[in-house]
Amino acid sequence: MSETIAITDFDFETHDADMDALIAAWLPEIEAAAEVHVPDDRFMSFLVAGLRLGARSKSLKGFNMMEVINKAGYSRSTFFRLFEGYTGFLFKGYQLTCRLSVIVYRKHLQGRELSLDEFCTFTADVFYGANCSIPNEVIQMLWREHDLTHQQFHPHLGELAPMIRDYLAANPQTGHLVIDVEELDGVLKTLDLVILNARIEGDALWGTPFYYKKLRKMIKGYLITCA
């Protein structure tokens, strides 16, 4: 049996992102968070079935909606009442997965005493890995099908700035930082937009150390100004 790798055990600085390994690391984390934070058993069943089948196929072409419905154990009519259709399911599932990734980040951050450099590396590791675990093809299709602003597409971003400010304020090595939550929120949304655009445009450098280093440097660059 292969050894399980944690979401923080990847070396993005020197290696390209390994989607198979990232999915294997992130899937149990997202499922565990969903068990606590998704109160609707039906939604939970469809989400888990979709995540597992998506992890296997890693493409829209290999993603069979009827198989999701069968594995979830609910009827086709229940599925369409909840999601209206294929795209609706993928979009709700994607946005929920993004929100759950924030919850996973908070769980792994709690109890750690990190230097500023360690915090920036940890944060970049988690969010770059989470993004690289979802195929660009899915992001491109969802962005194309929904006429939404960046903040409507990624509403989970609004939860990050208060969470990060509170951690840095309580953490002994970063408690001296003076952080404006609204300013930090703007910085995080800008960073996310850089990543989203790279994925939508199919940038050949996405998944390489280039974007990981860019993300980490931008996070640290801002926080240094808060000293």
Side-chain angles (χ1 to χ4, degrees):
M1 187 174 181
S2 60
E3 183 180 354
T4 302
I5 187 168
I7 61 171
T8 53
D9 285 346
F10 292 87
D11 179 10
F12 297 120
E13 186 168 7
T14 57
H15 294 86
D16 290 352
D18 181 338
M19 182 176 289
D20 288 327
L22 281 164
I23 289 172
W26 270 96
L27 187 59
E29 292 276 8
I30 295 297
E31 287 188 12
E35 288 179 2
V36 177
H37 297 279
V38 180
D40 190 323
D41 290 341
R42 300 168 304 167
F43 201 122
M44 172 70 180
S45 296
F46 285 118
L47 174 67
V48 170
L51 287 171
R52 292 179 180 177
L53 291 171
R56 189 182 69 192
S57 65
K58 296 188 291 294
S59 71
L60 291 174
K61 186 177 179 180
F63 193 79
N64 186 302
M65 190 53 60
M66 287 309 300
E67 194 172 357
V68 171
I69 293 171
N70 291 335
K71 286 190 175 296
Y74 287 94
S75 67
R76 190 170 181 272
S77 60
T78 299
F79 173 84
F80 282 99
R81 279 199 302 272
L82 286 172
F83 307 109
E84 296 183 356
Y86 172 73
T87 303
F89 169 72
L90 289 178
F91 187 54
K92 286 184 179 180
Y94 168 68
Q95 287 196 321
L96 177 58
T97 300
C98 289
R99 182 171 182 274
L100 293 174
S101 72
V102 173
I103 292 169
V104 171
Y105 169 71
R106 181 176 61 198
K107 181 189 78 171
H108 282 272
L109 187 60
Q110 288 174 344
R112 293 176 184 257
E113 292 190 4
L114 303 173
S115 66
L116 178 58
D117 191 60
E118 289 170 338
F119 170 80
C120 294
T121 297
F122 171 82
T123 299
D125 284 351
V126 172
F127 286 101
Y128 190 69
N131 274 274
C132 288
S133 70
I134 301 174
N136 284 354
E137 180 187 8
V138 173
I139 306 300
Q140 291 162 357
M141 184 276 286
L142 294 176
W143 182 258
R144 185 175 62 247
E145 293 291 327
H146 296 82
D147 185 20
L148 299 174
T149 66
H150 170 227
Q151 293 183 42
Q152 290 171 328
F153 193 71
H154 280 170
H156 65 282
L157 295 174
E159 301 180 35
L160 283 172
M163 180 190 305
I164 288 175
R165 187 275 314 273
D166 290 348
Y167 168 79
L168 293 174
N171 180 51
Q173 297 189 61
T174 55
H176 63 286
L177 298 175
V178 180
I179 296 172
D180 181 283
V181 173
E182 290 187 7
E183 186 177 65
L184 176 58
D185 179 68
V187 169
L188 295 173
K189 287 173 179 173
T190 298
L191 295 179
D192 184 76
L193 186 57
V194 168
I195 289 175
L196 181 61
N197 283 333
R199 304 186 67 191
I200 291 170
E201 295 167 4
D203 192 326
L205 290 174
W206 174 253
T208 72
F210 173 83
Y211 272 101
Y212 168 75
K213 292 177 182 178
K214 185 181 184 74
L215 176 62
R216 189 182 63 191
K217 287 177 181 177
M218 290 176 75
I219 295 170
K220 186 175 182 180
Y222 167 71
L223 291 177
I224 286 174
T225 69
C226 299

